[in-house]
């Protein structure tokens, strides 16, 4: 805009001044915490002056990036060009069979032989990633589609895990019986929590669910007679195939395939829900609660359904988690776990299935493989949640709405949209 | 014949503020009735009361659907009111911005359809048929308001006037017998307003419904409504045919006091 | 009776700290309707800064009340600076965004700050020096310690100053105007951005006061103290009626007493459950809080 009129040099100069000031500010800001370190034992102070240099240099360059992206965001809001381009490309890839079919087949083949290509350890990591895909997709129903910020999602995960663990411990209940029941119990908990919080505004809901999640964890920690307290429950049985005895390696492979089936099942279910009568009601509720009710949608029922369904998936994964690790205790179900699942959904793209899959793989696999990075994992989670909200609220892959095609005119059978809807 | 909407002595208080006081209003079958008044008179509040969004502090609201017995709608939730055949648009457009135009209308079919979660997951023939019906019906509504060219666009991408018409299409998709329009011409240019005039009349005739309309554009109000109610500071200060209301000294006074009003 | 009084003053002390943090929540919420999730972390950073400053100053030979005052001031300055910066980075760009965006951003910021301190400092508990000396006149009093007395008095003074500030200064009036109607305030020439920044700065400074005082009394801190304290203080803010300053103080005290008496007479295992239970209970049955007014959304 007016940058073209102004001479170039002073402009660069003023940008450098801005960045220098930012750098100085952040050097000041981080000085006590980054530079000074107290050893608690010998009461000496350790000065880390290099950190000051890093912060200064980092802030200097990042502030350029920040302003650049901010500028682009403002212009993007005006022109919205590249969003349109990306959307069209996404639409194309997801609808044109010639593009996605070969890719899908290659991916399917890779997924099918994965455990034979990689070690047991790698397979186990992949199982964890797939569990988070499922958790992300489940939470995506609640947060992404229905717009209900649930910060206590981990509670339902815990319910599923403890249900299986306790049933297995006391009654020897097997995995395959427990799995659907864990989902159902979690759904009941979802409804129990859902009922009282129906009337709450979005941000209050977030806090109540957070409180609920913490209450469940604290109860599990303190109610020793019921949950065995912090020491947890060990010796939970792994899933079996008709009584055959498997080695640990075989167990891992078996669980891997179970997870693949479960993830595919989840993706299909969420995908179908999203473009269904219920799914549209959820999205409408997210977009505008008042208008949604005024269009004849029962807010309470719709919210409860989202809660229950989201919880069901957490219950499933909880059951699988207990079977995978054969040991659970309350420390697996902290608020941080909820936060990780939420950041998967946010990073991937709220309401988007592929987005959640990609988000889960990035957030779970990256720290796993970049060991040096894993220490910074939560730091990066937090920062990326902020940056995503600021610069790309739709996430890596924004949700794509279904397109319908209509032939011109014949009003009686208005076209082939229905075919697309129910293919 | 009984009026399709019969409101008696409706009162609404917000804390100390009495936004509506003893309002009586009737809409007869097939009528277009206008509710006018200066800004802040309580018109939107009136809509919010009859659609169940606010709970009125007093009074009675009764509806007479053409094919069902009369019903009091006093303490009904908004969705139940809509289900019983009242549908509305919003003064400050409240579309589902991140949904497509067609989906916006399909959402309004929710209360006329039944399929649930299992149907959505397994997609049986019944669900598919219903889904097809929803798509077709919604498309017809969009054709009526002239938006069939925009089906797959996001609602937020529509121009302003089109968003107002989408609100109307969405309300109509709930199959109301009484349509409540809150300032449908606000922000439209004169040409769009003329088209809206024709559209409202056509909807009334084709869909066989009654319309209650809040509007500031006097030309539009005078040309399409059979009767007019005038609200000022929460009180009904005049009622009658367009000619009667235009001649009423109270109305003239209320409007002269509000010269900034459109 | 003595046990009861002990619990009473224990609750009062706790409640004072909750109140100091809750004031920040309530002010920010009153102005931009955001639950500033990172507020607890500001309190934690205040405590860390005070600890670091106190250790450094102690090496220079400072002690007693001057040490407390100076490290307290440094902590307040830093917390305020953090609050100011956080608003600029994580919330200001989202003023016009969807409802949930700033809240998610705030959660991200909270996680980021926790791990920033964890990585730059330590995950262990650090022992915090007892900066508040025992008063000689308190020697024979058993139901309340000197540190607790200081906490209660400081809270009372801070709340009084804040109330006067909001009632009688220009900035205070601007804050009330923005809280009522942002657009209107802007049209009347109030610099809304400045008001929001000031709100964050004041709220953060109060949190730092709380952080220094309670750390000095409890004697140890780690990177996680902000999370629990933050949620409890938020509970206090909601309990009193969010947006209301006397409400935040009242809520803090009620919560402090609830915890103190419940742990004292029932069971100490479930200390946090009482707080969270109270939060859930209040939000469900009286979301407007004790002093708050129920309001309906204008359609
Ligand atoms: N939810 C509410 N809370 C408090 N006052 C309200 C609310 N809704 C409307 N009002 C008040 O009621 C009066 C009438 O408003 P409204 O019905 O919107 O007027 P109109 O639509 O005629 O311009 C106004 O003074 C408005 O401030
Ligand atoms: Mg109005």
């Amino acid at each position: 805009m007016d940058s073209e009129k102004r001479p170039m040099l002073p402009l660069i100069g003023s940008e450098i001044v801005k960045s220098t000031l930012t750098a100085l500010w952040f050097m000041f800001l981080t000085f006590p915490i980054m530079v000074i370190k107290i050893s608690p034992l010998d009461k000496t102070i350790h000065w880390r002056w290099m950190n000051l240099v890093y912060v200064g240099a980092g802030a200097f360059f990042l502030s350029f990036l920040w302003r650049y992206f901010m500028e682009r965001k403002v212009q993007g809001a005006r022109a919205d060009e590249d969003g349109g381009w990306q959307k069209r490309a996404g639409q194309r890839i997801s609808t044109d069979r010639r593009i996605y079919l070969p890719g899908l087949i290659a991916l399917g083949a890779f997924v099918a032989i994965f455990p034979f290509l990689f070690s047991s350890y790698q397979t186990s990591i992949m199982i964890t990633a797939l569990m988070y895909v499922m958790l992300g997709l489940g939470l995506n129903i609640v947060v992404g589609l229905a717009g209900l910020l649930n910060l206590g999602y981990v509670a339902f995960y815990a319910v599923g895990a403890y249900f299986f663990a306790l049933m297995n411990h006391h009654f020897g209940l097997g995995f395959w019986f427990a799995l659907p029941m864990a989902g159902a119990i979690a759904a009941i908990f979802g409804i129990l929590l859902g009922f009282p919080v129906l009337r709450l505004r979005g941000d209050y809901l977030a806090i109540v669910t957070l409180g609920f999640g913490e209450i469940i964890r604290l109860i599990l920690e303190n109610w020793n007679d019921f949950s065995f307290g912090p020491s947890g429950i060990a010796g939970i049985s792994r899933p079996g195939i008709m009584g055959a005895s498997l080695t640990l390696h075989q167990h891992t492979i078996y669980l891997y395939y179970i997870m693949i089936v479960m993830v595919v099942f989840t993706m299909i279910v969420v995908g179908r829900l999203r473009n269904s009568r219920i799914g549209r009601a959820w999205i409408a509720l997210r977009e505008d609660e008042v208008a949604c009710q005024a269009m004849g949608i029962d807010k309470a029922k719709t919210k409860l359904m989202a809660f229950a369904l989201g919880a069901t998936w957490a219950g499933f994964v909880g059951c699988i988690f207990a079977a995978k690790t054969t040991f659970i205790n309350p420390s697996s179900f902290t608020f941080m776990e909820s936060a990780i699942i939420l950041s998967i959904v946010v990073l991937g793209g709220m309401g988007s299935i592929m987005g959640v899959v990609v988000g889960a793989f990035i957030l779970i696999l990256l720290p796993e493989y970049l060991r040096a990075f894993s220490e910074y994992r939560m730091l990066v989670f937090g920062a990326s949640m902020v940056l995503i909200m600021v610069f790309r609220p739709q996430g890596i892959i924004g949700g794509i709405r279904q397109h319908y095609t209509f032939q011109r005119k014949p009003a009686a059978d208005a076209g082939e949209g229905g075919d697309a809807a129910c293919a | 014949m009984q009026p399709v909407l019969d409101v008696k002595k409706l009162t609404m208080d917000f804390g100390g503020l009495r936004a509506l006081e003893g309002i009586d209003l009737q809409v007869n079958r097939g009528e277009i009735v206008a509710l006018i008044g200066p800004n802040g008179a309580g018109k939107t509040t009136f809509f919010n009361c009859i659609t169940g969004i606010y709970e009125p502090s007093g009074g009675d609201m009764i509806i007479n659907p053409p094919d069902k017995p009369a019903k009091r709608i006093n303490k009904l939730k908004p969705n139940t009111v809509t289900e019983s055949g009242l549908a509305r648009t919003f003064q400050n457009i409240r579309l589902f911005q991140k949904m497509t135009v067609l989906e916006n209308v399909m959402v309004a079919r929710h209360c006329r359809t039944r399929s649930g979660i299992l149907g959505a997951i397994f997609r049986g023939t019944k669900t598919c048929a219903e889904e097809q019906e929803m798509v077709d019906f919604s498309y017809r509504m969009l054709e009526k308001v002239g938006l069939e060219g925009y089906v797959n666009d996001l609602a937020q991408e529509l121009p302003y006037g089109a968003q107002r018409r989408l609100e109307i299409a969405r309300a109509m998709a709930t199959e109301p017998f009484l349509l409540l329009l809150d300032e449908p011409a606000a922000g439209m240019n004169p040409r769009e307003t003329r088209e809206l005039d024709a559209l409202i009349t056509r909807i009334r005739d084709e869909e066989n419904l009654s319309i209650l309309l809040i509007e500031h554009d006097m030309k539009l109000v005078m040309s399409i409504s059979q009767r007019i109610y005038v609200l000022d500071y929460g009180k009904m200060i005049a009622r009658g045919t367009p000619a009667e209301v235009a001649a009423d000294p109270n109305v003239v006074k209320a409007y002269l006091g509000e010269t900034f009003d459109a | 009776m003595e046990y009861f009084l002990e619990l009473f003053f224990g609750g009062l002390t706790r409640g004072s700290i909750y109140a100091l943090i809750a004031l920040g929540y309530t002010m920010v919420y009153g102005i931009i309707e955001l639950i500033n999730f990172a507020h607890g972390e500001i309190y934690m950073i205040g405590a860390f800064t005070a600890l670091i400053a106190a250790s450094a100053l102690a090496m220079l030979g400072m002690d007693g009340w001057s040490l407390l005052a100076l490290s307290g001031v440094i902590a307040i300055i830093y917390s305020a600076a953090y609050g100011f910066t956080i608003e600029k980075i994580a919330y200001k760009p989202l003023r016009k965004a969807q409802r949930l965006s700033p809240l998610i951003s705030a959660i991200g910021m909270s996680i980021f700050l926790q791990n920033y301190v964890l990585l730059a400092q330590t995950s262990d508990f650090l022992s915090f020096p007892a900066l508040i000396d025992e008063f000689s006149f308190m020697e024979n009093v058993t139901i309340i310690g000197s540190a607790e007395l200081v906490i209660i008095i400081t809270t009372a003074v801070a709340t009084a100053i804040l109330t006067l500030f909001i009632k009688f200064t220009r900035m205070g009036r601007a804050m009330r105007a923005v809280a009522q109607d942002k657009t209107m305030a802007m049209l009347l020439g109030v610099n809304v951005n400045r008001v929001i920044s000031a709100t964050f700065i004041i709220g953060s400074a109060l949190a730092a006061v709380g952080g220094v005082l309670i750390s000095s009394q409890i004697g140890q801190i780690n990177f996680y103290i902000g999370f629990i304290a933050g949620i409890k203080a938020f509970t206090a803010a909601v309990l009193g009626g969010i947006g209301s300053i006397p409400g935040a103080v009242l809520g803090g005290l009620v919560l402090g007493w609830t915890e103190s008496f419940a742990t004292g007479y029932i069971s100490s295992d479930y200390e946090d459950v009482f707080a969270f239970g109270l939060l859930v209970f209040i939000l469900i049955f009286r979301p407007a809080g004790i002093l708050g007014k129920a309001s309906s959304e204008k359609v």
Side-chain angles (χ1 to χ4, degrees):
Chain A
M1 312 159 289
D2 53 45
S3 63
E4 282 157 31
K5 286 182 210 140
R6 262 189 263 159
M8 209 54 190
L9 268 178
L11 184 74
I12 292 178
S14 86
E15 290 293 307
I16 288 178
V17 169
K18 271 189 207 162
S19 285
T20 310
L21 289 177
T22 313
L24 287 175
W25 174 253
F26 275 96
M27 283 159 82
F28 160 74
L29 204 59
T30 55
F31 174 76
I33 292 187
M34 291 292 282
V35 175
I36 307 175
K37 185 167 172 151
I38 297 151
S39 338
L41 291 181
D42 46 6
K43 296 270 179 206
T44 53
I45 293 187
H46 187 59
W47 299 85
R48 300 167 296 180
W49 292 106
M50 273 320 279
N51 280 347
L52 200 61
V53 178
Y54 297 145
V55 168
F60 183 78
F61 288 111
L62 288 178
S63 79
F64 276 112
L65 279 183
W66 176 273
R67 288 199 305 275
Y68 170 71
F69 281 115
M70 219 35 146
E71 186 72 12
R72 255 190 47 166
K73 185 184 156 194
V74 172
Q75 274 164 8
R78 256 181 249 136
D80 215 333
E81 272 168 299
D82 75 330
W85 167 81
Q86 280 168 342
K87 209 171 64 191
R88 275 196 301 281
Q91 199 82 47
R92 178 101 193 277
I93 292 169
S94 62
T95 49
D96 191 337
R97 267 167 211 270
R98 270 172 313 179
I99 295 180
Y100 79 78
L101 218 55
L104 207 62
I105 291 171
L107 183 68
F110 176 73
V111 165
I113 58 172
F114 183 91
F116 303 105
L117 296 180
F118 296 95
S119 69
S120 199
Y121 171 71
Q122 312 275 8
T123 312
S124 169
I125 291 175
M126 190 49 87
I127 294 174
T128 307
L130 290 170
M131 278 168 32
Y132 278 93
V133 169
M134 261 179 88
L135 286 170
L137 288 171
L139 185 62
N140 198 18
I141 297 177
V142 189
V143 179
L145 295 183
L148 306 166
L149 189 51
N150 184 346
L151 294 181
Y153 194 59
V154 75
F156 306 121
Y157 182 42
V159 165
Y162 268 90
F163 172 77
F164 176 44
L166 289 171
M167 283 308 200
N168 187 264
H169 180 86
H170 293 300
F171 309 108
L173 189 73
F175 173 79
W176 288 111
F177 283 104
L179 185 65
M181 282 160 77
I185 299 277
I188 292 172
F189 266 80
I191 292 173
L192 284 182
L193 168 68
F195 252 118
V197 300
L198 280 175
R199 293 178 304 139
L200 294 183
R201 310 179 22 163
D203 37 12
Y204 277 22
L205 180 90
I207 297 290
V208 172
T209 48
L210 191 160
F212 176 76
E214 288 293 292
I215 289 176
I216 296 257
R217 184 179 61 81
L218 289 166
I219 289 177
L220 290 175
E221 224 158 58
N222 290 305
W223 193 2
N224 288 320
D225 303 337
F226 170 73
S227 65
F228 302 96
S231 51
I233 303 168
I236 305 162
S237 32
R238 295 192 167 86
I241 323 178
M242 293 172 287
S245 66
L246 303 176
T247 65
L248 187 58
H249 180 60
Q250 286 167 327
H251 263 302
T252 309
I253 295 180
Y254 182 43
L255 197 60
Y256 170 81
Y257 286 115
I258 293 177
M259 275 319 295
I260 291 293
V261 173
M262 290 295 289
V263 165
V264 171
F265 170 69
T266 310
M267 286 169 72
I268 292 174
V269 167
V270 178
R272 289 188 163 189
L273 280 172
R274 192 175 53 164
N275 286 311
S276 71
R277 174 173 172 269
I278 306 292
R280 282 187 296 267
W282 284 334
I283 300 172
L285 196 67
R286 177 191 77 191
E287 291 293 308
D288 190 326
E289 233 175 67
V290 172
C292 178
Q293 282 182 286
M295 289 308 123
I297 288 168
D298 188 335
K299 180 172 96 176
K301 216 164 120 187
T302 311
K303 275 191 183 177
L304 282 180
M305 262 195 274
F307 259 116
L309 219 62
T312 309
W313 256 263
F316 286 154
V317 187
C319 180
I320 296 170
F321 172 75
K324 174 178 188 269
T325 55
T326 71
F327 165 73
I328 56 168
N329 73 350
S331 66
S332 306
F333 307 104
T334 59
F335 168 70
M336 277 306 136
E337 205 66 23
S338 288
I340 291 173
I341 304 169
L342 178 67
S343 51
I344 286 174
V345 176
V346 169
L347 180 75
M350 283 193 268
S352 152
I353 294 174
M354 277 324 289
V356 169
V357 175
V358 172
F361 279 111
I362 291 179
L363 286 188
I364 304 302
L365 294 187
L366 225 53
E368 215 49 76
Y369 286 112
L370 300 175
R371 272 287 162 199
F373 174 79
S374 71
E375 216 184 314
Y376 298 96
R377 167 179 167 144
M378 289 311 291
L379 190 78
V380 173
F381 278 12
S384 56
M385 277 166 84
V386 175
L387 293 177
I388 288 274
M389 281 301 114
V390 172
F391 292 111
R392 205 179 155 78
Q394 74 272 37
I396 296 175
I397 305 179
I400 295 168
R401 300 308 309 160
Q402 170 141 18
H403 274 217
Y404 297 85
T405 46
F406 295 91
Q407 291 144 359
R408 282 279 128 207
K409 223 46 228 167
D413 49 15
E416 34 187 35
D419 303 344
C422 258
Chain B
M1 197 169 59
Q2 297 232 315
V4 287
L5 174 70
D6 192 358
V7 177
K8 293 173 192 154
K9 299 220 171 357
L10 186 73
T11 299
M12 178 79 215
D13 295 321
F14 293 113
L17 177 82
R18 178 151 286 192
L20 291 174
E21 188 168 351
I23 302 297
D24 290 311
L25 183 147
Q26 287 84 36
V27 180
N28 296 314
R29 172 85 53 89
E31 250 186 337
I32 297 182
V33 176
L35 178 60
I36 63 170
N39 269 334
K43 307 179 296 293
T44 301
T45 303
F46 180 78
F47 270 21
N48 287 336
C49 288
I50 46 184
T51 51
I53 290 172
Y54 293 163
E55 192 183 315
S57 330
D60 250 333
M61 304 173 292
I62 292 154
I63 54 166
N64 276 297
D67 46 3
K68 271 179 254 151
K71 181 169 164 187
R72 261 181 96 217
I73 52 169
N74 273 32
K75 290 219 161 119
L76 297 188
K77 285 190 292 178
N79 57 301
T80 327
V81 173
T82 307
E83 235 180 286
S84 12
L86 252 57
R88 69 174 290 181
T89 65
F90 293 91
Q91 175 181 356
N92 41 355
I93 299 175
R94 300 189 83 132
L95 291 169
F96 308 122
Q97 299 288 352
K98 295 259 152 47
M99 300 177 89
T100 65
V101 168
L102 185 72
E103 283 176 325
N104 262 277
V105 185
M106 285 168 81
V107 166
R109 295 298 294 155
H110 191 95
C111 59
R112 304 287 171 227
T113 44
R114 290 278 73 87
S115 49
I117 288 183
L118 289 181
I121 295 175
F122 296 109
R123 290 208 168 149
T125 44
K126 230 164 99 188
T127 311
C128 282
E130 196 179 80
E131 187 81 9
Q132 179 73 55
E133 185 272 342
M134 256 195 247
V135 172
D136 295 347
F137 193 100
S138 308
Y139 188 73
R140 271 208 305 285
M141 290 301 125
L142 287 173
E143 276 183 327
K144 267 192 204 308
V145 300
L147 288 177
E148 69 274 18
Y150 293 102
V151 274
N152 291 321
D153 291 358
L154 293 187
Q156 64 185 13
E157 295 164 354
L158 288 187
Y160 194 76
Q163 295 204 2
R164 288 236 173 262
R165 279 181 286 145
L166 177 53
E167 279 240 348
I168 298 178
R170 187 177 67 170
M172 300 241 305
T174 63
E175 295 178 65
F177 64 85
L178 175 62
L179 186 60
L180 308 166
L181 304 176
D182 196 345
E183 304 200 16
M188 284 187 171
N189 60 35
R191 192 177 56 82
E192 285 175 320
T193 309
R194 273 199 308 282
E195 285 169 9
L196 184 72
D197 184 331
L199 174 66
I200 293 175
T201 326
R202 184 153 45 87
I203 286 174
R204 190 259 317 255
D205 297 339
E206 285 178 7
E207 301 293 307
N208 197 13
L209 41 73
S210 321
I211 292 175
L212 177 58
L213 156 95
I214 295 174
E215 189 45 70
H216 279 309
D217 187 306
M218 275 307 144
K219 229 174 98 207
L220 179 71
V221 168
M222 292 296 168
S223 80
I224 64 175
S225 44
Q226 274 91 64
R227 286 187 306 118
I228 299 179
Y229 287 85
V230 188
L231 210 55
D232 190 22
Y233 288 114
K235 292 199 185 92
M236 197 68 85
I237 56 167
R239 69 189 66 199
T241 63
E244 286 165 11
V245 165
D248 192 311
N250 283 333
V251 179
V252 177
K253 207 164 75 197
Y255 269 84
L256 283 182
E258 263 277 328
T259 37
F260 298 111
D261 210 23
Chain C
M1 189 60 201
E2 178 150 334
Y3 186 54
F4 174 86
L5 281 179
E6 229 171 79
L7 292 178
F8 178 85
F9 283 112
L12 191 60
T13 313
R14 250 171 214 259
S16 299
I17 298 295
Y18 292 149
L20 282 175
I21 313 174
L23 284 169
Y25 275 113
T26 234
M27 288 172 67
V28 167
Y29 196 94
I31 292 211
I32 53 174
E33 299 221 332
L34 165 75
I35 298 175
N36 179 12
F37 227 87
H39 190 61
E41 273 57 54
I42 304 249
Y43 151 91
M44 178 268 290
I45 284 175
F48 262 90
T49 311
L51 170 62
I52 290 166
S55 309
L57 292 171
M59 291 216 320
L60 295 175
M62 212 182 243
D63 60 0
W65 289 103
S66 54
L67 181 63
L68 171 66
L70 193 54
S71 47
V73 167
I74 293 176
I76 288 171
I77 291 173
Y78 266 96
S79 284
Y82 270 92
F84 171 81
T85 312
I86 289 168
E87 194 272 329
K88 287 277 177 280
I89 292 179
Y91 308 144
K92 189 164 173 237
L94 295 173
R95 294 263 171 82
K96 294 198 183 68
Q98 281 184 341
R99 206 163 37 93
L100 289 184
S101 296
L103 187 56
I104 292 173
S105 181
I107 295 169
M109 189 44 94
S110 155
I111 296 173
F112 177 85
L113 289 175
Q114 273 177 31
N115 287 275
Y116 155 71
V117 173
L118 164 74
L119 292 171
Q121 294 287 326
T122 172
S123 61
D124 300 331
F125 272 98
L126 291 176
S127 61
F128 199 98
L131 294 173
I132 303 172
D133 291 336
E134 283 295 322
F135 297 113
S136 46
F137 67 85
M138 293 280 288
E139 259 166 25
N140 301 321
V141 184
T142 54
I143 46 171
I144 177 170
S146 299
E148 287 160 325
L149 192 68
V150 171
I151 289 174
I152 293 166
I153 293 172
T154 312
T155 305
V157 171
T159 315
I161 294 176
L162 180 68
T163 312
L164 293 177
F165 174 82
I166 289 190
K167 268 229 160 73
F168 296 113
T169 63
R170 239 180 106 78
M171 181 51 87
R173 269 198 300 277
M175 281 177 170
R176 277 180 291 150
V178 173
Q180 284 235 323
D181 190 334
K182 222 184 297 176
T183 333
M184 199 47 138
M186 201 146 52
L187 291 176
L188 293 175
V190 174
N191 184 339
V192 174
N193 283 335
R194 266 245 294 284
V195 170
I196 294 176
S197 287
T199 310
F200 272 86
I201 288 172
I202 296 171
S204 304
L206 290 169
V209 174
V212 176
L213 292 175
I214 192 71
S215 306
S216 162
Q217 191 219 354
I218 292 179
Q220 54 173 9
I221 57 173
N222 80 344
F223 72 98
Y224 202 61
I225 55 169
F227 180 71
I228 294 287
I231 293 185
K232 289 191 182 167
F234 177 77
T235 306
V238 172
L239 193 57
I242 198 148
S244 147
I245 285 178
V249 176
L250 181 64
L253 296 183
V254 170
L255 181 64
W257 279 318
T258 309
E259 275 192 2
S260 184
F261 288 120
T263 50
Y265 286 121
I266 305 173
S267 152
S268 62
D269 287 346
Y270 288 94
E271 179 185 324
D272 293 341
V273 174
F274 294 123
F276 292 129
L278 188 65
L279 169 70
V280 173
F281 186 82
I282 282 289
L283 279 181
I284 291 167
F285 293 102
R286 196 175 155 77
I290 303 172
L291 298 183
K293 284 189 292 267
S295 66
S296 60
E297 189 196 356
K298 256 191 202 180
V299 175

